Amino acid sequence: MRKIKLTKGFLKYALGSCLIECGNTKVICAVSMEETVPSFLKGKGKGWITAEYGMLPASTQQRNAREASKGRLTGRTQEIQRLIGRSLRAVVDLEKLGERTFWIDADVLQADGGTRTASVTGGFVALAQACERLIAKGILAGNPIRDYVAATSVGLVDGKLCLDLCYKEDSRAEVDMNVIMTGSGRFVEVQGTAEGRAFNDRELASMLALAKKGIRKLIGEQKKAVKLPLK
Amino acid sequence: MRKIKLTKGFLKYALGSCLIECGNTKVICAVSMEETVPSFLKGKGKGWITAEYGMLPASTQQRNAREASKGRLTGRTQEIQRLIGRSLRAVVDLEKLGERTFWIDADVLQADGGTRTASVTGGFVALAQACERLIAKGILAGNPIRDYVAATSVGLVDGKLCLDLCYKEDSRAEVDMNVIMTGSGRFVEVQGTAEGRAFNDRELASMLALAKKGIRKLIGEQKKAVKLPLK
Amino acid sequence: MRKIKLTKGFLKYALGSCLIECGNTKVICAVSMEETVPSFLKGKGKGWITAEYGMLPASTQQRNAREASKGRLTGRTQEIQRLIGRSLRAVVDLEKLGERTFWIDADVLQADGGTRTASVTGGFVALAQACERLIAKGILAGNPIRDYVAATSVGLVDGKLCLDLCYKEDSRAEVDMNVIMTGSGRFVEVQGTAEGRAFNDRELASMLALAKKGIRKLIGEQKKAVKLPLK
Amino acid sequence: MRKIKLTKGFLKYALGSCLIECGNTKVICAVSMEETVPSFLKGKGKGWITAEYGMLPASTQQRNAREASKGRLTGRTQEIQRLIGRSLRAVVDLEKLGERTFWIDADVLQADGGTRTASVTGGFVALAQACERLIAKGILAGNPIRDYVAATSVGLVDGKLCLDLCYKEDSRAEVDMNVIMTGSGRFVEVQGTAEGRAFNDRELASMLALAKKGIRKLIGEQKKAVKLPLK
Amino acid sequence: MRKIKLTKGFLKYALGSCLIECGNTKVICAVSMEETVPSFLKGKGKGWITAEYGMLPASTQQRNAREASKGRLTGRTQEIQRLIGRSLRAVVDLEKLGERTFWIDADVLQADGGTRTASVTGGFVALAQACERLIAKGILAGNPIRDYVAATSVGLVDGKLCLDLCYKEDSRAEVDMNVIMTGSGRFVEVQGTAEGRAFNDRELASMLALAKKGIRKLIGEQKKAVKLPLK
Amino acid sequence: MRKIKLTKGFLKYALGSCLIECGNTKVICAVSMEETVPSFLKGKGKGWITAEYGMLPASTQQRNAREASKGRLTGRTQEIQRLIGRSLRAVVDLEKLGERTFWIDADVLQADGGTRTASVTGGFVALAQACERLIAKGILAGNPIRDYVAATSVGLVDGKLCLDLCYKEDSRAEVDMNVIMTGSGRFVEVQGTAEGRAFNDRELASMLALAKKGIRKLIGEQKKAVKLPLK
């Protein structure tokens, strides 16, 4: 597993923020709040958490074209955005947010694999900082966060189990799995994909076990930055 | 599990096609071929399989706006398109396709849950029909399909295991999992998502076991429509 | 004229629906209702009927690219959508709909010429079914449909008059004309276009006479499916 | 019929141009040439004529939003563009154009009804001027224009026949018909639409007769500006 | 400096309009009014002036593609639109407009350089005409226009100072500067750009002096068309 | 003038990069190279420099919507992109780049005014680093950079001259001017805009003098990071 570093409060103007570094992968996660909810939640006394994801064009070894210039988001970006939002909603009591939307922006400065899982892990810290501040100001009455949540990838590379895949490993992996887990060790999301060859039950079990080990370590880092329950 | 019906050759002009019905869910899967490949494959002697997915506006209980009129695909649509393409590529020898692109179009006539998994299961039959015809005409030298592939959903609904979720079950499920498996019983894709509460290892294992049972039945139906190896 | 078949209620969840088959051309027409009207009708106590049209990518001999993926509707699609809406509005008393919008969705499963005229003929049946159901439920106070309406094409192909053109005839026609007529034999729309050579009064008159004959037959089929006045 | 005025060569840089004024309606028609054809004509030794249509935002009594700012063409605009192109192609020998595309741009300065028919009538003059110049320069070997073509509208307004409808008449018309006819009196396009009530054969015949009278007058004006055969 | 001609009231339906001709450059400027303001001004008792700019496709020597067809505005167009709006707002008392938006539409009929500066100079006249009419009708209580405003370009072409650059000069200029100035001789906008080589203080001063001379002449022409203060 | 800090080589994978900090404003500038040129330069033996600009959604005090999600660039973004590209091209010998495109990506992490001028100043350093590396590798034969270039803003705030405006000053400024100057003290771009009131010659002269002072200091910082001539 690569070295991880979480810098809470990396941005001055965001309500909450975190720079997460996993080896050479660096992602800025930021939280903004809006006093409104999407139309399907209007009048239900609940809040919402939604995420947007982007990569700086120069974050990768080959420049990747700016989605703002192309005028449309790729399928990959949309998939990642939905994943981040779903993962964070899974550990938050939406009623306690009030009728507000929390935007999680994950922007990749440098990409060496694992940007989507880093966005979940770092996004949690940014969201927790935002909630700490809102509780301190009396805007939130109580703590809406129920548990930690973090994510990592595992895979089979050249037939061997591998944790926290960097770009080079990821592009050669036969199987690639993203796992998102809470502090209490329960799964929020499990996404295993055969790239080269299909996998069997035993391989699935080994990958899950390794992923859990990695996530426990990531949550250990989160605990240094954020103490639950928030108050 | 709901009653399944596969109608191979449902469309007259498509190279391959299949109407798949799972209870009230009905999806037309069609295959078209193009004598070109995406630019990243040019000159590599390999083919490609890509998928597009759409829903008729009146396929659902509430009319859902036509994506062609909105001018952009939703994130959900793109996710499903990528999933279908990836699943079918996993059982095909792309070299044997030659430098050609196979388009899988999955269009939902009626939606009662499980449209993405039905698209994979029916898409396989349509693709197999297309290959049968191309082999018969001598356009393909040999059989490119290595194994069957089918998909189903499982979930936890009100705390109980549930196979092949209909819309009503799906919208109440605490955990929702899509599983895609080959004829030899290996996984191509496993996507479990906690909607309401996170799930543990034991629940994951039970869901996988139930999904495998369901998929074996689906592959049984595919075998009535398509005989492997194709020739 | 090709064999016609109307299957009322083809879709389970739509308010009204009809599968229309004219030879190899197959179009699903569906009706949905929305409790709102476009802004130019707000507060006028009238309803609106609008149509959308699409083709499945594999409905034609050459796959035609999905408009949702291209992100814009072609001019042809927009022309057809406007034509269907206008034709059905011509036989409906919009005041009797209340402030509601009726969406007519015409989706082509298989295209062998005449999809736009089939959409009008089948759209009428779907709309009538929707109105029957709304009257039965007491949502509509009275019958809003004043007359039948159906459409066909005529043309000059190799100098000869031709009714209900299939794709092959249509692509070779020197003149192509779409005619839309009510049950009482009055025109709602007449669109004659010289593709190869201009046409004279006499040719125009012969084409109109032939079209009327064809439409009377189509309305005969509609009468088997729908009895006017609705109640 | 309103007073008509054709100013050939209104624009300095266009290959051909014409300002057409019909009462208060004013449209600039311009022709540009490109040494290429659309892909479906590549290598066939034929040219193409295509049209684009736009309205200045301040051309109407209520400002109409600029389509360039909205980012998409309305259905009405696309319908008109297709109509203009089709009408001019009907009197031109496309082989004699060589592999070239002729763009007809019709831009409405002031709109008081009848802009689409004025675009056809004025577009013909602009195209003829372009061809005159190309013949003079030896770029075109021979005259590609076979006949005059002009267009007008007729309608039933308050039950009375009406020629060349202005905006006020057009918006009250029960039936509205656009007729496009050649110098030899043959139809290129006939489009009659019931707005308020359907029309019968006799009304159709009267409208056509009146339209022919109007178009003969328009072609009389064209003859003052352009002499056929061009040389 | 090229010959200038201002035709106030060129369009019949616009609230204010002006055809401005500078040599071969011809731009129609038109003003429309809307009883609403952008959201950032709602409830502040102030009005707004905004501009849109377009070129007829055939206005240039090479046809330039219609932005409505491309579906997006170029950066150049947006820059010009922002410049025109800013320049006119600089001489208007926005409070005196009431909560209304004034749209300035500048559409280029013929382009021989200097279309953006002509749009400002002609836009002023169109706006003044609109205000005259609104004052006459009692819709505006008092005169909102504080001063004249006009614009011209200067540049260094082959090392020599040059005023009011035509297209040919502009495309060879080493330095190109647009200057916008009020009747009282104060600058509203100064935009100098080195195209070929950077420029020094002395060159900047000479260009500004020449521009001022040109603008005084343009304002002289405006004074023939519009008398300030308006009443 | 605010404290400035230039961190050359901030990004690992970019060919050249620089994090520029001016007080609380932080912009990442990165350079990528592509072995191709825009079509208007094909075959001319020259290279091109183009820029793209973006802001992280959470870089500002109010979250600003992601342009990639809106699907179009604002006018402001396009104006800035054009300015950055033009400014850097002004000090580079494009022939010496060969037929290559250099992309300058300026991405704002934190915005407190002056992001466009910081993008020019930091973009220069990133471009110089890219050139240093290409010269070292022998990809560029000689030094293409002729001079330093940097940018700052000046303005009149409450009637007083002000250098390097922060967001608060900028939003209250009556006049706002961006100046871009080379190491030899010549102007590349001068853009002065009256926001509240027009300005006279004397005020223009004072602003220019102050801007020059500021830019000389910025170029002093650049010289610590980059030594010209490059080799």
Side-chain angles (χ1 to χ4, degrees), chain D residues 2-193:
Chain D
R2 297 177 289 177
K3 200 168 179 296
I4 185 165
K5 190 174 162 198
L6 299 169
T7 308
K8 189 165 81 162
F10 181 76
L11 294 182
K12 191 183 174 73
Y13 302 128
L15 182 58
S17 63
C18 177
L19 172 69
I20 176 166
E21 302 174 70
C22 302
N24 286 322
T25 289
K26 300 185 187 187
V27 184
I28 297 182
C29 303
V31 177
S32 310
M33 190 184 78
E34 214 182 14
E35 292 286 344
T36 178
V37 284
S39 53
F40 66 89
L41 279 183
K42 288 250 153 72
K44 305 210 170 150
K46 289 174 62 171
W48 190 243
I49 298 172
T50 191
E52 291 196 345
Y53 169 94
M55 301 180 89
L56 294 206
S59 61
T60 46
Q61 257 141 321
Q62 279 289 98
R63 180 179 189 272
N64 68 93
R66 199 176 281 269
E67 290 183 309
S69 302
K70 292 188 295 183
R72 50 169 69 202
L73 301 176
T74 62
R76 175 184 174 273
T77 292
Q78 296 204 44
E79 230 174 88
I80 295 175
Q81 295 188 157
R82 286 155 57 88
L83 178 71
I84 302 170
R86 216 157 56 212
S87 302
L88 295 177
R89 288 195 300 271
V91 294
V92 170
D93 191 339
L94 298 175
E95 272 82 7
K96 295 210 175 137
L97 298 178
E99 291 217 352
R100 297 185 179 102
T101 298
F102 287 72
W103 293 83
I104 315 297
D105 283 293
D107 284 275
V108 178
L109 299 187
Q110 225 166 255
D112 186 27
T115 61
R116 82 180 68 189
T117 51
S119 298
V120 171
T121 306
F124 173 81
V125 175
L127 181 61
Q129 185 186 35
C131 290
E132 283 171 350
R133 288 177 171 169
L134 293 169
I135 293 168
K137 289 187 192 169
I139 293 171
L140 290 185
N143 168 25
I145 297 184
R146 288 192 295 241
D147 201 348
Y148 295 90
V149 68
T152 196
S153 64
V154 279
L156 290 173
V157 183
D158 302 333
K160 285 198 294 215
L161 265 177
C162 190
L163 177 63
D164 186 24
L165 283 66
C166 69
Y167 176 71
K168 213 170 122 187
E169 291 163 344
D170 187 57
S171 52
R172 277 168 45 219
E174 296 111 54
V175 181
D176 175 22
M177 175 173 270
N178 293 308
V179 180
I180 305 180
M181 202 177 75
T182 64
S184 55
R186 297 173 75 93
F187 298 113
V188 164
E189 187 100 20
V190 169
Q191 291 197 345
T193 300

Side-chain angles (χ1 to χ4, degrees), chain E residues 8 16 31 123-133 145 226 228 230:
Chain E
K8 189 165 82 164
V31 177
F124 173 81
V125 175
L127 181 61
Q129 186 186 35
C131 290
E132 282 171 351
R133 287 176 171 171
I145 298 185
V226 176
L228 285 187
L230 301 174

Side-chain angles (χ1 to χ4, degrees), chain A residues 79 82 187 192 199 201 212, chain B residues 79 82 187 199 201 212:
Chain A
E79 229 173 88
R82 287 156 55 88
F187 297 114
F199 51 101
D201 292 85
K212 290 178 90 164
Chain B
E79 233 174 85
R82 287 155 57 87
F187 298 113
F199 51 101
D201 291 83
K212 290 178 90 162

Side-chain angles (χ1 to χ4, degrees), chain E residues 201, chain F residues 161 177 199-211:
Chain E
D201 292 85
Chain F
L161 266 176
M177 176 173 269
F199 52 101
N200 59 26
D201 292 84
R202 196 181 37 75
E203 288 166 332
L204 175 56
S206 315
M207 288 188 289
L208 285 169
L210 183 58

